[in-house]
Amino acid sequence: MNDTLVTLVGYVATQVDYKETPNGPSARFRFAVTPRYFDRRKEAWTDGTTSFYTVWARRTLAVNLAGSVSVGEPLVVHGRLRVREDPPDGEGHRWVSAEIDATAIGHDLNLGTAAFRRVVKTDVPLMATQEAAVV
């Protein structure tokens, strides 16, 4: 396995975009990461340049993400880094974007508290139980 695994600490920058696809649930959001360092000349903490990543979640992680995360919340994201370069546009500009195919996402507990609730898995899909109740 030659994937580049990364762990990022930052903030949710956009609303989670959740979709049901033929391959299962999928969710994405933009994630802002700003490094912070101590500037010895100013003798103060200083923010560095903010980097933005598109974070993708699939299957169960996507469902749980959509029900748990809001804009502005601090998160820790772990997953595979993918750098994508689009071909030049009509004006010759090249676009490079960084994406994370997440394997784990959680709230940063250095900045607040969270209440974990385990998801109960059932053998029968939720839609099938609702249809049976209607009949």
Side-chain angles (χ1 to χ4, degrees), residues 56-109:
W56 289 93
R58 313 270 193 253
R59 297 176 289 283
T60 303
L61 181 57
V63 174
N64 293 342
L65 174 73
S68 303
V69 171
S70 300
V71 173
E73 292 182 347
L75 296 181
V76 178
V77 174
H78 181 76
R80 291 173 192 85
L81 175 65
R82 306 269 187 242
V83 177
R84 190 173 50 118
E85 187 174 338
D86 292 336
D89 61 12
E91 298 176 12
H93 296 110
R94 297 189 89 111
W95 295 97
V96 177
S97 63
E99 299 180 348
I100 309 297
D101 186 14
T103 56
I105 299 173
H107 285 99
D108 183 354
L109 298 181

